[in-house]
Amino acid sequence: MTTTVDASEIAKFEAMAAEWWDPNGKFKPLHMLNPCRLDYITRQIAEEFDRDLTAPRAFEGLRLLDIGCGGGLLSEPMARLGADVVGVDAAERNIPVAQTHAMQSGLEIDYRFTTAEAMADAGEQFDAVLNMEVVEHVADPLAYLTACQQLLKPGGLHICSTINRNPKSFAVAILGAEYVMRWLPKGTHDWSKFITPDELYDLIRKAGLDPVDRKGFVFNPVTWAWRLSDRDLSVNYVTASLKPA
């Protein structure tokens, strides 16, 4: 079985596994970004599958895959919205952390230590695949995105976020986050593996998906909060694409 897992990348996250749910720990940037990510994800799913986000369990009946689920920061809100959630991670130590927190939260989530490729090979199918901040850590982005496409049912929704590659992203995501703010351990990101929005759209198309939207995640150091932007994709950004029906 082929895999796009990069062992050195996985080792970084294995070392941080126990800190997933500490809002002031090594995953503080994700905790800060999470409301903005969830806003985008829930709106895209609601629009694509004609769901009312004000309704209880708005995503009831949808099967959703969260790749690189970590401790479950996205899987848990999706489960609360009623989705049937499978969370997978290639870092084995993340899974018991996620399972324990879900149990404490009274949520049923199917967490697995596995890869997108293994699940695709097994013929698993989902209405939506969340692929957030993973593609910049894999060894072969096109093979990985192709596996994501195979995991979708026809008409399924793929949401993928990553980091742009330019001087600003080096200054913000690496120098700023890892060296100045010390939000992340040094070496968490490899700037050369960052992907520009146009490159990602090209990879998504080559993987057999149709891109339909992209937005920037923009951090405001004055309000200390993230927001979505239609125009500023200079550092963090997110895309939505569909598998042809």
Side-chain angles (χ1 to χ4, degrees):
M1 184 194 74
T2 58
T3 179
T4 61
V5 169
D6 183 325
S8 64
E9 293 286 328
I10 296 305
K12 295 174 190 175
F13 292 96
E14 288 260 343
M16 296 187 278
E19 296 201 44
W20 271 105
W21 287 96
D22 179 359
N24 295 305
K26 289 173 181 167
F27 293 102
K28 181 177 181 177
L30 272 185
H31 282 272
M32 294 169 64
L33 177 58
N34 221 34
C36 194
R37 296 197 303 173
L38 283 167
D39 180 37
Y40 184 84
I41 291 165
T42 53
R43 285 194 206 181
Q44 289 292 325
I45 294 174
E47 184 178 327
E48 187 56 37
F49 297 101
D50 196 23
R51 300 301 175 99
D52 178 5
L53 284 174
T54 64
R57 298 183 65 80
F59 294 168
E60 192 93 59
L62 294 178
R63 190 167 192 241
L64 183 143
L65 175 63
D66 180 12
I67 304 175
C69 63
L73 298 187
L74 289 174
S75 293
E76 289 199 9
M78 295 298 111
R80 284 194 181 92
L81 283 165
D84 175 12
V85 180
V86 178
V88 304
D89 207 297
E92 188 171 9
R93 286 177 60 192
N94 286 336
I95 299 304
V97 174
Q99 288 171 330
T100 300
H101 199 274
M103 187 171 61
Q104 292 168 344
S105 304
L107 296 169
E108 286 191 27
I109 299 172
D110 181 0
Y111 285 119
R112 308 180 196 174
F113 165 50
T114 187
T115 65
E117 291 82 7
M119 295 193 73
D121 287 346
E124 297 260 10
Q125 292 271 279
F126 297 87
D127 296 290
V129 169
L130 305 185
N131 175 12
M132 310 297 283
E133 290 88 45
V134 175
V135 71
E136 72 270 23
H137 296 288
V138 301
D140 185 338
L142 179 56
Y144 169 67
L145 290 167
T146 300
C148 293
Q149 184 264 1
Q150 292 166 348
L151 285 161
L152 282 168
K153 298 176 184 177
L157 174 68
H158 173 251
I159 298 179
C160 177
S161 64
T162 190
I163 307 176
N164 202 340
R165 188 183 68 257
N166 55 38
K168 183 178 178 181
S169 71
F170 183 81
V172 173
I174 295 183
L175 294 182
E178 296 182 15
Y179 287 82
V180 179
M181 302 304 294
R182 306 217 173 154
W183 278 341
L184 293 167
K186 294 174 184 176
T188 298
H189 288 110
D190 178 349
W191 183 79
S192 69
K193 296 179 80 167
F194 289 175
I195 301 169
T196 71
D198 287 347
E199 287 170 348
L200 184 59
Y201 258 25
D202 186 50
L203 287 165
I204 286 169
R205 289 190 182 100
K206 285 178 178 173
L209 295 164
D210 294 329
V212 293
D213 186 65
R214 62 186 179 188
K215 296 276 192 297
F217 291 137
V218 180
F219 183 69
N220 184 329
V222 177
T223 61
W224 212 245
W226 292 85
R227 64 176 174 83
L228 287 167
S229 172
D230 290 329
R231 295 183 299 278
D232 187 353
L233 282 70
S234 59
V235 184
N236 297 76
Y237 67 98
V238 62
T239 66
S241 53
L242 296 172
K243 182 170 181 172

